[in-house]
Amino acid sequence: MFMAYNFIMEKNYLELINQEKLPKHIAIIMDGNGRWAKNRKLNRSYGHKEGANRVVDIVRASSDLGIKVLSLFAFSTENWKRPLEEVNKIMFLIVAFIDKYIDELASNNVILKVLGHRDELPRNVKEKLDYAINKTENNTGMILNICLNYGSQLEILDACKEMIKEYKKSSEEDIDSLTVEDFSKHLYSDEYYNVDLMIRPSGELRLSNFLLFQAAYAELYFSNILWPDFIPNELYKAIYEFQNRNRRFGGL
Ligand code: FPP
């Protein structure tokens, strides 16, 4: 007699990853929390709660692997249009994430940064983020960018405004000689601003105003898995696929 299994064992993608060819910067649009909850006849908040658990798993997995930058889209400038209860739940989960994991992040050498308009966030969230940023700023390991009240078009506009102010007394020659690198310094992100691998779970095929400038040469990876089901093996699978693509950056 043999047993019938109604599932197929997934490969262990961690074993297949080449440590020498890791993407430096991975960006993830954490999508599908609402649908995950709806599929279980639960309130959308449960989807965000389980999504926050995957944040913990994916941050640990990325840091352990040696990824330099992980950028997570937690709340967009457009997400304020959601019901207040849902907005509050996401803010609560972010504060709870810091409360519970800041010591672990700090001892694993992670640098926590926030990309987006912090000033418009509730005061308790802002204070908690400031605390986490200060506590980890002298670390030297993985940069964890939490993108909060973030929109890429706004980021590009902010960079332009800053540059106009900075260069308004400069000569035309100086302005003509500005480079993409000069511009990138005015973005919210740091020196590893180029995204190598952009991941979007949940079956949607859009970038949704996320790191548009930084993703100019990113490999795009779309998956039908909903974010609360996006376990580390899904991340390893995305990295494995990334490593098997042919990146030419416009060359041959
Ligand atoms: C998109 O799914 C998800 C969000 C807008 C929120 C993401 C937030 C978290 C994962 C929680 C906490 C974050 C941290 C950093 C601890 P959706 O609600 O649009 O899903 P749907 O498309 O299925 O409705």
Side-chain angles (χ1 to χ4, degrees), residues 9 50 64 69 79 90 144 151 160 197 200 202 222:
M9 278 295 283
E50 197 53 27
D64 290 351
V69 186
N79 285 151
I90 296 173
L144 171 60
C160 292
L197 172 59
R200 181 165 196 159
S202 94
F222 297 105

Side-chain angles (χ1 to χ4, degrees), residues 14-246:
L14 181 57
E15 284 173 358
L16 301 174
I17 289 178
N18 177 349
Q19 288 291 330
E20 309 300 313
K21 277 175 66 182
L22 290 173
K24 284 196 178 69
H25 184 173
I26 299 180
I28 309 182
I29 301 173
M30 305 186 288
D31 197 11
N33 295 348
R35 277 161 285 167
W36 184 92
K38 196 169 169 228
N39 291 345
R40 288 163 179 74
K41 303 201 169 20
L42 296 169
N43 183 289
R44 296 175 56 83
S45 294
Y46 286 93
H48 295 311
K49 186 166 178 256
E50 197 53 27
N53 291 335
R54 288 302 82 67
V55 169
V56 177
D57 297 341
I58 295 299
V59 169
R60 280 188 185 135
S62 307
S63 162
D64 290 351
L65 256 185
I67 300 300
K68 295 242 179 298
V69 186
L70 176 67
S71 298
L72 300 178
F73 206 177
F75 193 86
S76 76
T77 43
E78 288 74 37
N79 285 151
W80 296 108
K81 292 182 211 146
R82 296 191 178 207
L84 186 63
E85 187 198 344
E86 184 171 342
V87 170
N88 286 343
K89 179 72 184 184
I90 296 173
M91 296 297 160
F92 167 85
L93 287 168
I94 288 162
V95 169
F97 170 75
I98 294 174
D99 278 339
K100 197 157 174 205
Y101 296 103
I102 190 64
D103 288 340
E104 179 182 333
L105 292 171
S107 61
N108 283 324
N109 210 11
V110 171
I111 305 159
L112 190 138
K113 295 192 180 193
V114 175
L115 311 190
H117 276 205
R118 247 190 292 165
D119 286 351
E120 290 146 23
L121 296 170
R123 207 174 69 185
N124 68 319
V125 180
K126 227 168 22 184
E127 285 173 2
K128 194 61 75 177
L129 292 168
D130 287 342
Y131 160 74
I133 292 166
N134 288 338
K135 192 168 164 91
T136 60
E137 69 184 350
N138 293 323
N139 287 351
T140 54
M142 185 180 83
I143 297 171
L144 171 60
N145 288 325
I146 303 212
C147 303
L148 244 186
N149 196 18
Y150 174 87
S152 187
Q153 292 177 338
L154 191 60
E155 179 185 26
I156 293 168
L157 180 64
D158 282 347
C160 292
K161 286 181 187 168
E162 240 182 64
M163 287 182 90
I164 292 168
K165 286 178 198 157
E166 189 177 329
Y167 290 95
K168 69 178 172 209
K169 295 209 175 95
S170 304
S171 69
E172 208 171 312
E173 267 181 353
D174 281 348
I175 292 174
D176 281 343
S177 65
L178 286 171
T179 63
V180 170
E181 289 297 315
D182 295 325
F183 182 80
S184 77
K185 293 196 180 85
H186 296 267
L187 295 168
Y188 308 150
S189 43
D190 81 330
E191 60 180 307
Y192 294 111
Y193 67 90
N194 275 314
V195 172
D196 298 298
L197 172 59
M198 168 76 78
I199 298 175
R200 181 165 196 159
S202 94
E204 307 290 352
L205 307 177
R206 292 187 289 278
L207 293 184
S208 296
N209 204 12
F210 190 43
L211 300 172
L212 300 180
F213 186 91
Q214 295 88 334
Y217 284 100
E219 291 297 325
L220 307 180
Y221 179 88
F222 297 105
S223 153
N224 287 328
I225 305 273
L226 302 174
W227 174 251
D229 291 326
F230 204 89
I231 56 175
N233 202 40
E234 298 297 334
L235 174 76
Y236 305 145
K237 188 175 176 181
I239 294 173
Y240 175 70
E241 180 164 326
F242 165 87
Q243 294 184 330
N244 287 287
R245 296 218 189 142
N246 182 7

